[in-house]
Structure formats: structure tokens, C-alpha cells
Amino acid sequence: MTMVAYVRGGEALYAAASPARADDGQGGWIASWVLPLLPNTVVELQIWVVSVAVAVAVMGGLGSRSLAAQGDKQRPGFDGAADVLLEGLGVVAGGLWRFAAGQSVWGEPRSDATFLRRGVLLERGPLSSVGALDGGADVAGATPAVEQCDAAGEAALGGATRLGFWHRWPGAARSVVRLGAVAAGIGLWRAPVVTLFGLGAVVPLVIVLVKSGIAHRTDAQIYGPGLWAALIQVLRLSGEDQQRGERYWLDLSDDLRGDEARIVVRLPLQWLGHEKERAVLALAIATRIPGEWKGAYFQRGRCHFARFTPKPAPKPRPQLSDSVPWKSTGNPFKVFVGQAIEGDQVVDVVVSTESDTPHWGVAGDTGAGKSTVLYIPVVHGRLNGWVVDILDNKENSMIEAEGHSGVRVHKTTRACMGAIAEFMTSMIAAEKANGLDGDPQLRQMLVPRLLVIDELPTLIRFAYTWWKFGIRQKGTPPFIDWFTIILMMGRSSGHRVVVGAQQFDNALFGGTIGRKQIGTKITIGKQDMVSWGVAFGQNAPRFGYNTDTKGRGAYADKKTDPDGGDFAWVREFQAAYITPHVKELLAEAPEAPEWFDRGEMAPWITPEALMQAQEEAAADNFLPGGEFAPLSRPVVPMRRNRGQQGGPAWPGTGTALLGTVSGTAAGTGDQAVALASERAEDEALPETYSIAEACKRGILPWSYDTARKYLLQRSKTKGVPVPDGVTDGKATYYTEPELVSWLKAWNAARSAA
């Protein structure tokens, strides 16, 4: 039968293409496979022709597009058509190969997966497409971008998650799925029953093999490429150096989160490695590798390299207890005041008053707990046989210490000034008795003394007011000078001071020299920047602590920072809590000398010592019997303490010199009347106001800044006298008549101008 007959609709095959000829010898098996694929009917032939035409057109289009993408111009005529078809055939063949090999069939790879290794999504779109990554994060502590995109891709919704999961599979797994799907389709077409049974047995096995065959990506595989790209720039590698490859220049541990992790970077010989270059290299490590790393550089010899190892985890910072019980040191010159954090341990804080820090102090706002801390030296001193004078013009701050032998509490301004004068005179006399030519009899009478001032700024303010408006004196009062003398000479004579204040301002101590004698400074509660600088120095670094914890603060002695800083070593501090046990402990203290409990001056104060105190500090008028001396005396109830046998037996009870010194004893009148008279004197003192308080009360009709500028700056330029006021070392206070008088003069000067 001819081709024409076949095309015209005949049902015969080409040239006697019958099944019988498929079994003709050596090529029989080929014919049996090929011949059934040939068209047997006109319809099949038409389908073949259309399919071939479509395939040629598709290959032509693909080839033309590929050539255009490569920038090649198509040749005219038959040669050009052949080039296009061959290029298209190559594109189709490549696509089939990528399909079979598990690669992306078109476009760029969606991940960096290989044939045997799973990958991470390579997100090339805007960040919003995978979930907005928050900006403004710390670069050094940020998660690497590839890890962020990976996490964001996993968190994406719907098909994006499934698509991303598919592309992260190894090529082998995707190849098995693709070829298996094609094979299953052909099987369902040709032998559906057998194929269904086969799928039931094979699919679970394939799933297990795919899951087990997905190799885990190591940290080196995940982070290595990004770090290598950065090292090319950081190390300024030439093209020849880059050809040596990533493995020549970079070695990363597979697990970069373990303690044994290492990052080794080979360094080119021309890389100098100065500070800035090392900083850039460290930055590249910090921004591309998770965790914190420390580097070591080895640039001697022929092989230069840098090795980065994980920074050791910081030791957990020790925590102070919220409450520290007080304990006795057993040494009269070592006072346990609490605990502090030094480095990585909690240590006891002991103030050594026999060293170059004989005096110490505590600062803090009202209510912060200064008085609680001040109970510690009172108890410690009494348990060791010392006698204690407390200046408490607030009258109720240290009430737990009242009524015990060896503790005198002075509550009025006149009484406090008299106590300071007597303490200074006692110190001068003790210094003289301890000298080479001192009287041995007086030396045996000496008793260590302690002066505790509860609120130094308030005391100074009241003292200045009392000096100016109470006893009507001119010039500068001598109280600050007395205090400075005590601080300078106290240790050698056995007279020590503990101060409570709002801040350690120079003006409270008579200047820098006096303040330096406060060797140990403790702050309790919250401290502003100014108060911190006044206490510890402007260069001392500030640190935070829990100000809600009672007794929590900071302290520094005369030690400098152990890390090499030229500034005070300030440590976090927790004061010992002794308040509930003050009365019990003071009751165990040994009895004080009788002269002290009777409110008399120290028996070692001789006429020569009185004369010296008068000549050096004008103290005579403030001592018992003087014009401005206290009217009352702080009589202590005479009773025997339970622990009187536990302390030293101090010789001399005041009888040896009693009455030999004019004014040794305090007044002997009715003590209640005398004390009432002193309190009435304090109450009669005029109220004083700071500039801020005067503005708040309406005495000055401006804001604080304006009033301060007018009063302290412009008033002098206009010739208006500025009132003297009184000070507490931190601020200046004025009476209302002073401010009203100045305001009238100021307004008059402005009107005249």
C-alpha cells in the first residue's frame, strides 16, 4: 500500500507494518518497542504532526530567547534556524536534566541546597515578603541576616512555607520525588492495579529514605560563605588569593556553639594587623557568626593566622542579701558595717579606724536609712568601752540609743555646739597627755571617745542661724573650724567621728583637706549624679543597684580601681541591720566613767588645755560655765549594765580633777527647765528658706531660675546688697525679712534705671 492511500484514509500501516514483522531476528526486540509508538491511524498521524510542529516552535522560541539572553545575534537563513533549534534543544535537554537531578527547572536556585545537602532559602526579594525584620538592632548582637531570612521564611504563611520547604530539600530527594511521580503516572496509565500496590509499598520507604538522607547542615556550611565574602574585603585578597578558595583562608568548626568551637583565619603576609584592622576583622566575625568571640593573632613565622574562640560565659554576678545581720569584730578599731560585692564575691566591709581612715560617714536622702547605719558605730564603740556623744538636733532619729550608760544625746543647737566644743577640747587635752611630757596620771584616765553626727547639713544650718539670730554674733562662726580640727587630729588622741549627711560637700568639712579625713564614704539609697561625684569623684563610674532594698547603696575607701583606673574603687554595699538589737547590745556594754554619765567634761581637761582651746579655736564661751554654754546637761541614768564585767576597767571616774577646773561641771539647775529654755531658744529662731523654697511660697515673685539670676548675679551689678543668709554646705538659706528687704531694694534699683 502506498503513502497516498494511507493519507487518504486507508487503515493499513506503512509498507506492510504488521505485528508479524516485529519478530524478525536480531532487531526484533527494538522493533517490538518502537513500532507500537508509531501512528497507526490518520488521527494519530495528525496528532504527531501537530506535536512535532509545536515542539519545533517551542524549541525555536526557547533557543531564540536563550541566544538573546546571551547577547548572540541570530544568523539568517537555514543556519540561523539550525542554531536556534539546537539552542532550544539544549535548553530543553538542560531542563530535563535539572528536572531529573532535582535542581530548579527554571530561574535562579531558591536555596543553596546541593544534591546531598539540605539548604537555606536565599531570599532575594524585599524583607517585607518574608516578614518585616525589625531594624535598629544592635549590630554586634544581631542574628545573621541569612539566619533571619531562614527563620522568616519558615514563619511565612500558606504556600510560601510549603514552597520554601520544598526548595530546601537536597537535590537527591527532589529527584526521587519527581522521577517517582512520572513513573507512577506512567504506571497508573499502563498498569493501574500493579502500580497502586507498588505505591503502597514504595512510598513509605521513599519517605523514610528522604528524611534520613537529608544531611544536617553544619554551622560551617551555613555561616562560612557569608564570612568568606566579608574576608575578601577585610583582608583585601587579590584575585590570585581568592582563587585559592575559601578552605585555604578559612576554617570553621562544624558546631560553632560549643565550647571547643574555633574560627581560624589565615592572614596574608602583607596584612599588618594594626588596631583598626583587627577591629574590622573582629566586627566581621561578630556580625556573621552567632555568639561572642575573642581573638588571638599569630603573625610571627611564615604562616600568619588569627584564631577566634568563644568568650567564656561571664560568671554570675554575686547577689547581696537583702538583710545582713551585724556582728562584732572583737577589735575596737575594726567596725563591721555590712557586706559588699568585690569582683565575683561578697565580702565583709570593715572600717579600720586605726589606719589612715579614722573617721567615716554615710550619706543619703532623708528616710534612706542613715540613722540605721549610725547605730553601728554607737554599739561597736560602747561594746569596746568607748563613750559616745550623739548630735541629734532632729531629737528622735536615734532614740534607740538613749538611756544607756556611755551614750549622751544632744538635741538642741546650744547643746550640740557645746558638745563639739567640749569634744575638741578633750581631744586637745588628750593629745597633750599622750605626749612625751604628758602627765602619766592624766594618761591613765583617757577613754576613747566617739562623736556621731546624725544630720550634719541640718546641724550646720541651725548652728549658723543660731549664731546670727540666736546669740546675735557677727562674722563667721567657729563651728566648722572646730570640726576640721577634730578631723585632722582625732586619731592620735583617740577621738573619732562618724558623720551622717545628705552629701559629702566640701563646705561641711571646712574644705577638701577636712573632707579627705572621711576615709570611708558610704551612700545609702538613690544618688543623683552630683551627689555621686561629690562622694566618690567625678571619674568614678556609676552603677545601678536596687534602691528599693533598705540599706542598699555604695561605698568606697581610699583604694583605687583594681582594673587600673585612676579613680576611687566604688562597690555595691548592703548595710548591716542592727536597729532591733540596739537596746539589747547597749545593755551588754560595760559601764561608762561616772563623769561622762553625769554630763561633765573629761577629767583630763586641764587649765592649760582650756587655754589652748581658747587661743586656737575660741571655744571657752561654749564650754560649761561660758556665755554660750549649754544650759542643760545630758544626764544618763546611772544603772549597772548586765555586761559591765565584759569591758575594760577604765581608771579615773572624774573625781581626781572634779572642781579643779573652772566650769568643768555643767549647770546644776533644774534640767527640765534648762532643756525647755534651750528648745524655746531654737523655736524662736526665724524660719529660713532657700531660693527655690522662697519662690514656691511666693516670697520671691519669679521662677527659681529667674530669682537665682536676679539675686546672685544681677543684684551685684545694680549695686543692691545681697543678704548673707546661712548655709548648710549645699544651699544658702535666707529669712523672709532678708528677702523682702532685698526685693524692695531690687525693685527700686530697676525703677531708677
Side-chain angles (χ1 to χ4, degrees), residues 272-579:
L272 297 180
H274 54 69
E275 184 177 353
K276 290 185 178 179
E277 288 181 326
R278 292 187 179 188
V280 173
L281 179 57
L283 179 63
I285 299 292
T287 54
R288 286 162 175 79
I289 306 296
E292 296 184 357
W293 302 85
K294 63 177 181 179
Y297 296 85
F298 305 89
Q299 291 184 266
R300 295 179 179 178
R302 300 187 60 185
C303 182
H304 296 187
F305 65 95
R307 181 172 60 223
F308 291 84
T309 55
K311 286 185 178 180
K315 295 182 179 179
R317 190 172 186 270
Q319 298 295 320
L320 291 172
S321 173
D322 291 346
S323 180
V324 176
W326 182 80
K327 60 185 177 182
S328 175
T329 63
N331 187 328
F333 303 108
K334 292 185 180 298
V335 187
F336 172 75
V337 294
Q339 292 182 333
I341 297 175
E342 293 187 359
D344 57 353
Q345 59 183 347
V346 176
V347 300
D348 290 345
V349 177
V350 177
V351 180
S352 180
T353 62
E354 191 67 1
S355 65
D356 58 349
T357 61
H359 316 295
W360 56 283
V362 56
D365 291 335
T366 301
K370 295 190 301 296
S371 300
T372 301
V373 179
L374 292 178
Y375 278 128
I376 294 175
V378 173
V379 171
H380 178 86
R382 286 298 302 125
L383 289 177
N384 288 278
W386 295 25
V387 293
V388 183
D389 283 279
I390 299 176
L391 308 186
D392 179 20
N393 59 335
K394 291 193 296 185
E395 298 196 16
N396 59 359
S397 296
M398 304 192 69
I399 195 171
E400 297 293 328
E402 289 190 52
H404 295 275
S405 176
V407 180
R408 300 197 299 206
V409 182
H410 309 270
K411 298 184 176 182
T412 64
T413 306
R414 183 181 286 265
C416 289
M417 295 305 101
I420 294 179
E422 191 271 339
F423 192 87
M424 182 195 65
T425 306
S426 171
M427 180 199 67
I428 294 174
E431 186 77 17
K432 193 173 185 63
N434 280 325
L436 294 177
D437 56 347
D439 187 343
Q441 183 181 6
L442 296 178
R443 192 179 302 131
Q444 289 182 353
M445 296 178 184
L446 296 179
V447 181
R449 300 189 64 176
L450 179 66
L451 179 66
V452 177
I453 304 177
D454 180 54
E455 190 69 59
L456 182 59
T458 304
L459 177 64
I460 297 299
R461 176 182 172 186
F462 273 93
Y464 275 48
T465 306
W466 177 69
W467 172 267
K468 183 176 181 179
F469 301 102
I471 60 178
R472 307 290 180 178
Q473 297 298 302
K474 303 291 185 181
T476 304
F479 316 129
I480 297 296
D481 293 333
W482 296 349
F483 191 45
T484 304
I485 293 173
I486 294 171
L487 294 174
M488 297 291 291
M489 300 174 55
R491 184 183 67 168
S492 60
S493 59
H495 288 59
R496 287 166 172 77
V497 178
V498 180
V499 176
Q502 291 186 346
Q503 65 173 219
F504 297 102
D505 193 275
N506 272 344
L508 299 175
F509 303 93
T512 304
I513 295 179
R515 193 183 69 165
K516 282 186 176 180
Q517 306 309 311
I518 305 296
T520 299
K521 299 182 180 71
I522 298 173
T523 61
I524 299 296
K526 185 177 181 180
Q527 292 290 305
D528 56 49
M529 186 177 298
V530 174
S531 298
W532 183 277
V534 169
F536 307 120
Q538 298 299 327
N539 294 330
R542 298 182 67 190
F543 55 85
Y545 48 81
N546 185 9
T547 56
D548 294 333
T549 301
K550 293 294 185 181
R552 185 63 53 87
Y555 99 101
D557 43 25
K558 290 192 174 182
K559 297 178 182 178
T560 57
D561 189 88
D563 295 332
D566 188 19
F567 44 78
W569 186 21
V570 187
R571 288 87 97 189
E572 185 176 352
F573 170 78
Q574 178 66 42
Y577 188 53
I578 196 176
T579 305

Side-chain angles (χ1 to χ4, degrees), residues 254-270:
D254 289 338
D255 182 8
L256 292 175
R257 293 174 173 81
D259 294 336
E260 302 299 324
R262 295 291 184 272
I263 302 173
V264 181
V265 179
R266 189 189 296 268
L267 303 174
L269 295 179
Q270 70 273 15

